[in-house]
Amino acid sequence: MFSLGAAPSAPAVPRPADRLAWTPCVQPGGPGDQQCAEMSVPVDHREPGGARLSLRVTRLPSDRPAARRGVLLVAPGGPGGSGVEALAHRGPALRTALHGAYDLVSLDPRGVGGSDGSGCGLRADDRDVLAYRSWPGPGGDIRDSAARAHRTADACARNGGAVVRSYSTANEVRDIERLRRLLGTPRLSLYGVSYGTYVSATYAQLHPEHTDRTVLDSTDDPDPARVGRGWLARTAAGADERFPDFARWAADPARDRDGLRLARRPDGVRPRVLALADRLDRAPRTTDTPHKPLTGNLLRQAVQQALTDDAAFPDLARLIVAAEDPNAVPALPPGYATPVPDRDATVFLATLCNDVRWPRDVRGYARDVAADRLRHPLTAGQPVNVTPCAFWHGAPADRPVRITADGPPDVLMIQNLRDPTTPYAGALRMRKALGGRARLVTVDRGGHGVYLAHGNACGDRAVTEFLRTGHRPAADLRCPDRPAPVEKPRG
């Protein structure tokens, strides 16, 4: 098995740079005792004496020291999610559910949040959400997409240097192992969400002797041939599997009260949305944001984003209703009016491109887009379109790790059945790869993210029990979409 390579051994007497100096770093809306420190890592772990980066690491110490059993690392999603933000948002719920069993820790990966990094210096129009997500032109034309992908890859090679080349899953795993050593803990438990599941599974595969309990929440296919490109491609089917949930919501007579009922029956919602997107391809609508029209692709992107969470359904329905009203001025969804920040775009793209080599034949992408538009009109070819990875400069420094059944049985997966971002089919591939090492808890609902996210009693209980006691279900478990009961106050 190919190894990413171990971090250099810690010196016998720690240097100041090898210690974590924790200081308060309370985040807006976060817990009052969150702490942060700076961790020094080499840009290239193979050259520990070379250039270095400072990464922001964070922790929430156990609030019940007598109950503490170890350290739980929260691996954020992305690529490009912030561990500092993840602990601020998820930490209180994790702490309550786990009754102080762990110190909770995380990190801002290279280029993210408070960690050192570099951007590619991308043009603002190349960081527009529709360009960043690589939507084909109306009718499926990818010539502009290919030109943008070339331009982006060239900018990253010209401006990003060794730092941008270091953005990878391999280096995030190395940085986590570096953090474990500095924490002085013999083993880490891991809780990974979305892309963080791939990071966590890779760490557990490479460092079984340092891994305690691993939870993978919302997982995709770990097959080295499917990493990155396959993850994006699978979201086309994921949107199709998830959309009926929105259609049932939008056809519910209860929507009549606020004018958001889109059809009398669920099967009428999809044709209405597709027809509207086609009309907007031909005649975009003016919005509340100057120079940002509502196009067919922007509507499709809004649909794709809204499918991640039921809470977004009302805003999506309002956008559809406004777009059909000639007297209304549609309001752009949050985050669509301004370009994606350069560093955020860089980390996401560079990680996907540095992890594996992508095909370079533009004609092949054009064929894939044409076929995918017919099979999955909701996403109109976007998931299989050409990206900057097709023209990335330089070969990946590391091969993707193959996840296998070799290792201790210490993994619990939890997955929504209709997840548009990490679809269920990909999770089944991870489950198969892990074999007897894992159990899979399937929750019969839609959306992205499961544990402590929607109050599903069955799923939450299975994960909490595993992290607290190590007990897993005897076999894979199916959970109905049923919220946890509300506890009545005592006394």
Side-chain angles (χ1 to χ4, degrees), residues 39-244:
M39 179 178 74
S40 177
V41 299
V43 172
D44 185 345
H45 280 268
R46 298 179 181 88
E47 298 181 8
R52 302 187 73 83
L53 299 171
S54 178
L55 305 188
R56 178 69 56 86
V57 299
T58 185
R59 72 175 180 180
L60 283 177
S62 168
D63 55 354
R64 301 184 186 185
R68 181 188 178 280
R69 66 166 305 275
V71 177
L72 177 66
L73 181 126
V74 177
S82 164
V84 174
E85 292 182 4
L87 273 202
H89 297 153
R90 296 176 176 270
L94 283 168
R95 186 183 252 176
T96 298
L98 301 177
H99 295 281
Y102 296 92
D103 291 338
L104 305 176
V105 302
S106 191
L107 76 163
D108 281 354
R110 300 168 182 229
V112 176
S115 291
D116 288 345
S118 176
C120 289
L122 303 178
R123 291 173 13 176
D125 58 332
D126 289 340
R127 292 182 279 111
D128 178 86
V129 66
L130 299 183
Y132 170 65
R133 293 294 181 184
S134 199
W135 283 89
D141 189 338
I142 73 165
R143 285 174 294 182
D144 285 348
S145 299
R148 184 180 306 112
H150 257 301
R151 191 163 59 239
T152 297
D154 290 347
C156 288
R158 183 172 59 251
N159 302 323
V163 172
V164 167
R165 290 196 298 273
S166 80
Y167 297 163
S168 68
T169 300
N171 280 328
E172 187 165 342
V173 168
R174 293 184 178 110
D175 294 341
I176 289 171
E177 173 60 6
R178 167 80 170 154
L179 176 58
R180 181 198 66 79
R181 294 181 180 215
L182 292 180
L183 290 170
T185 184
R187 294 195 298 171
L188 287 174
S189 289
L190 304 161
Y191 169 51
V193 181
S194 194
Y195 167 70
T197 64
Y198 181 61
V199 173
S200 299
T202 301
Y203 182 92
Q205 185 73 42
L206 292 173
H207 301 286
E209 73 282 9
H210 296 310
T211 304
D212 189 1
R213 298 166 186 170
T214 300
V215 172
L216 307 181
D217 182 341
S218 307
T219 312
D220 217 325
D221 188 349
D223 183 342
R226 300 286 296 172
V227 167
R229 185 173 177 233
W231 297 344
L232 298 180
R234 206 182 288 276
T235 61
D240 289 340
E241 293 161 3
R242 169 64 163 153
F243 191 86

Side-chain angles (χ1 to χ4, degrees), residues 272 276 279-280 285-286 294 318-330:
R272 179 173 175 178
L276 174 60
R279 292 199 300 274
L280 291 171
R285 290 288 310 275
T286 299
L294 177 59
R318 290 188 190 96
L319 179 64
I320 292 167
V321 169
E324 293 181 324
D325 182 352
N327 298 315
V329 178

Side-chain angles (χ1 to χ4, degrees), residues 344-389:
D344 293 354
T346 296
V347 172
F348 177 80
L349 292 171
T351 303
L352 295 180
C353 301
N354 288 329
D355 272 5
V356 292
R357 190 187 296 275
W358 291 49
R360 298 182 65 88
D361 181 13
V362 175
R363 292 171 299 180
Y365 287 102
R367 289 191 295 268
D368 289 346
V369 166
D372 219 52
R373 287 172 63 84
L374 295 176
R375 287 192 295 260
H376 307 291
L378 278 172
T379 49
Q382 179 269 337
V384 297
N385 195 15
V386 63
T387 74
C389 300

Side-chain angles (χ1 to χ4, degrees), residues 18-43:
D18 292 327
R19 302 190 185 104
L20 296 175
W22 298 104
T23 59
C25 62
V26 179
Q27 305 297 301
D33 58 344
Q34 186 170 354
Q35 300 172 336
C36 290
E38 303 300 316
M39 179 178 74
S40 177
V41 299
V43 172

